[in-house]
Amino acid sequence: MSDQLKSGLYAFDLVQKRAKRPAGAPDKQLARKVTKVGVVGAGLMAGQLALLFARRLDVPVVMTDLDQERLDKGVAYVHGEVDKLLGKGRVSQDKANRLKGLVTGSLTKDAFADADFVIEAVFEKMEIKQQVFAEVEAVVSPEAVLATNTSSLSVTEMASRLQHPERVVGFHFFNPVAVLPLLEIIRGEKTDDAALATAFATAKQLKKTAVLCKDAPAFVVNRLLTLFMGEVLAAVEEGTEPEVADRAVSPLGLPMSPLMLLQLVGPAVALHVSETLHEAFPERFAVSPQLAEVVKAGKTQIFAPDFSIDPEVKALLSGGTNPSEESAILDRALRALAREVRVMLDEGVVAEPADIDLCLITGAGWPFHTGGITPYLDRSGVSEAVNGRPFHEGALKAL
Ligand code: 3HC
């Protein structure tokens, strides 16, 4: 019974049991049927969502965007992904034809009139999202659920100008959508049980792991990943070689290094999330000036094709003359996580430490042998050192 095995058993229990009975979900009977889905936007995220909804719900999915070119590109992306599934033998020729028929594009939102679930995946700006929801509300029925895939904005505020704010829920996916099971479901101040139950029922049909989160800045995974990445970026800014800082957290066995994850998420999105968090918690979240420079320079790739760090990005990220040892960087990143998880639990962002771990395992691929993160923080003594107590009082030891 090593610590790793205990954590593995704990993690297995989370994904097999806790994931199936989400803490805080309302009565399933309240869920409304979803027979047609609208996706606002036809970008990369919107395309991934359209494909998932069509594939799992087997209902028509209509995407909208501002111009024909973007719309065509979005629909073509979905068709291309269907062909890839066909090529891998994941769907039959019949199913592939059917999926392509189910996903269509429209330049106007009138096409949403008979949709009962509309999700937006447009630019991360509050006014834009509010405007989009107002336009959708003008054409859909009063019961249609309006879902947002926002990565950090307030769901309550997004709903605040609508006639029916009770129908708005946060429905936050993780990249790559086809691979990562997590869906953070966010209840806004006015969200009613019927809308929330519909969101949970839809998540189940999508075969996703739904975790109920409070409407707090950046919810769970982005809050922790941003914090974690922030410590690595800070070490680089202080003078550590980017390669050294990126390697420092490798003992955790994460599926991707922090800088690789930054590239996957996109520097602009990562910067935006950090700005939201800084605004909410300035004493704990910084906005990296160097990351802002990378975004300003229009850089989207951190790594060159040979996996070396792009020299221009390296120059933009690097700064001071005070490099840190790898072990010190890992330590500061873990301490920051322990502190933040405790704050999140005290704020009631999720019900229990188990939900934080379930989110990190299913939303960011954190490994079973760390149990997500809280069992690792406990056994490495970090929880005790930072918070004066572990997250699991003897529960894992009892396994
Ligand atoms: N789209 C679709 N499928 C993909 C994919 C993509 N972009 N990338 C990988 N896959 C599939 C592969 O096809 C493969 O499927 P197969 O087994 O059916 O062939 C499977 O995923 C595994 O891929 P690989 O073997 O190539 O790669 P890895 O095992 O190294 O896994 C990874 C790749 C899943 C991306 C893994 O590295 C990972 O989980 N990384 C962490 C990602 C993460 O933390 N995401 C969260 C970011 S935060 C976010 O999205 C929120 C937003 O608001 C910012």
Side-chain angles (χ1 to χ4, degrees):
M1 270 289 176
S2 65
D3 285 338
Q4 288 83 351
L5 177 58
K6 282 182 194 164
S7 297
L9 292 171
Y10 163 84
F12 185 76
D13 188 64
L14 294 185
V15 300
Q16 292 299 314
K17 285 204 188 134
R18 196 169 182 89
K20 294 192 176 123
R21 274 180 267 109
D27 183 356
K28 319 197 241 287
Q29 308 292 334
L30 297 171
R32 290 191 283 257
K33 231 177 140 49
V34 174
T35 57
K36 180 173 172 181
V37 173
V39 179
V40 190
L44 196 59
M45 183 45 103
Q48 293 188 75
L49 300 187
L51 174 62
L52 181 73
F53 277 96
R55 191 167 173 209
R56 299 287 181 223
L57 266 54
D58 202 21
V59 299
V61 178
V62 57
M63 298 204 269
T64 58
D65 210 321
L66 297 174
D67 60 64
Q68 193 65 44
E69 198 187 328
R70 280 193 239 191
L71 201 56
D72 290 346
K73 226 171 125 188
V75 175
Y77 165 80
V78 176
H79 288 193
E81 290 298 302
V82 171
D83 284 334
K84 279 193 209 158
L85 289 172
L86 179 65
K88 283 189 193 173
R90 296 278 165 89
V91 295
S92 66
Q93 182 69 58
D94 276 359
K95 175 86 180 175
N97 294 345
R98 185 169 161 75
L99 282 175
K100 287 186 187 175
L102 284 174
V103 179
T104 55
S106 163
L107 275 180
T108 64
K109 296 195 175 61
D110 303 349
F112 292 159
D114 51 348
D116 16 48
F117 192 101
V118 178
I119 183 161
E120 70 75 24
V122 299
F123 193 68
E124 285 282 290
K125 214 165 169 72
M126 184 55 82
E127 301 80 64
I128 296 180
K129 296 205 184 244
Q130 284 177 335
Q131 169 74 23
V132 157
F133 271 175
E135 286 169 20
V136 175
E137 182 162 64
V139 294
V140 296
S141 78
E143 282 92 41
V145 170
L146 302 189
T148 169
N149 182 41
T150 182
S151 47
S152 63
L153 299 175
S154 162
V155 174
T156 300
E157 197 183 336
M158 214 179 287
S160 62
R161 305 214 180 134
L162 295 179
Q163 283 174 356
H164 292 287
E166 71 280 1
R167 56 155 101 217
V168 176
V169 291
F171 211 64
H172 183 218
F173 288 90
F174 293 83
N175 256 315
V177 171
V179 184
L180 290 172
L182 181 64
L183 242 180
E184 290 175 343
I185 295 190
I186 296 106
R187 176 171 215 155
E189 232 165 63
K190 300 221 164 118
T191 309
D192 67 12
D193 280 353
L196 200 62
T198 307
F200 274 97
T202 305
K204 192 165 185 193
Q205 273 187 289
L206 294 172
K207 298 195 178 166
K208 291 289 176 192
T209 299
V211 175
L212 181 64
C213 308
K214 196 172 128 177
D215 188 18
F219 321 118
V220 175
V221 172
N222 278 346
R223 181 158 166 182
L224 292 173
L225 287 183
T226 300
L227 184 81
F228 187 70
M229 200 181 292
E231 294 298 328
V232 171
L233 286 175
V236 175
E237 287 158 16
E238 288 159 15
T240 312
E241 286 285 314
E243 290 84 354
V244 174
D246 203 30
R247 199 167 57 220
V249 297
S250 60
L252 290 174
L254 308 184
M256 278 184 169
S257 73
L259 293 181
M260 195 55 94
L261 186 61
L262 181 63
Q263 175 169 301
L264 175 83
V265 169
V269 173
L271 179 66
H272 177 263
V273 176
S274 72
E275 285 167 349
T276 304
L277 282 162
H278 174 68
E279 213 178 292
F281 312 113
E283 66 293 356
R284 300 195 309 280
F285 287 84
V287 176
S288 155
Q290 267 87 343
L291 178 59
E293 288 298 315
V294 171
V295 175
K296 212 163 103 194
K299 291 276 172 196
T300 53
Q301 301 292 304
I302 308 288
F303 292 88
D306 67 356
F307 295 108
S308 64
I309 295 179
D310 178 305
E312 281 178 46
V313 172
K314 194 167 162 166
L316 289 169
L317 284 178
S318 305
T321 51
N322 189 17
S324 302
E325 298 283 333
E326 284 181 40
S327 60
I329 299 170
L330 176 62
D331 188 54
R332 76 191 265 179
L334 290 174
R335 292 176 73 92
L337 283 177
R339 185 196 61 209
E340 197 63 23
V341 170
R342 178 47 66 198
V343 174
M344 288 164 79
L345 292 168
D346 291 345
E347 282 177 6
V349 177
V350 286
E352 287 183 36
D355 297 308
I356 300 269
D357 294 321
L358 183 56
C359 283
L360 287 171
I361 293 168
T362 56
W366 286 30
F368 270 36
H369 61 77
T370 56
I373 197 63
T374 63
Y376 185 88
L377 293 171
D378 281 0
R379 76 184 191 229
S380 55
V382 179
S383 318
E384 189 87 43
V386 174
N387 302 320
R389 60 185 161 127
F391 289 104
H392 303 271
E393 304 277 0
L396 284 182
K397 287 195 192 93
L399 274 171

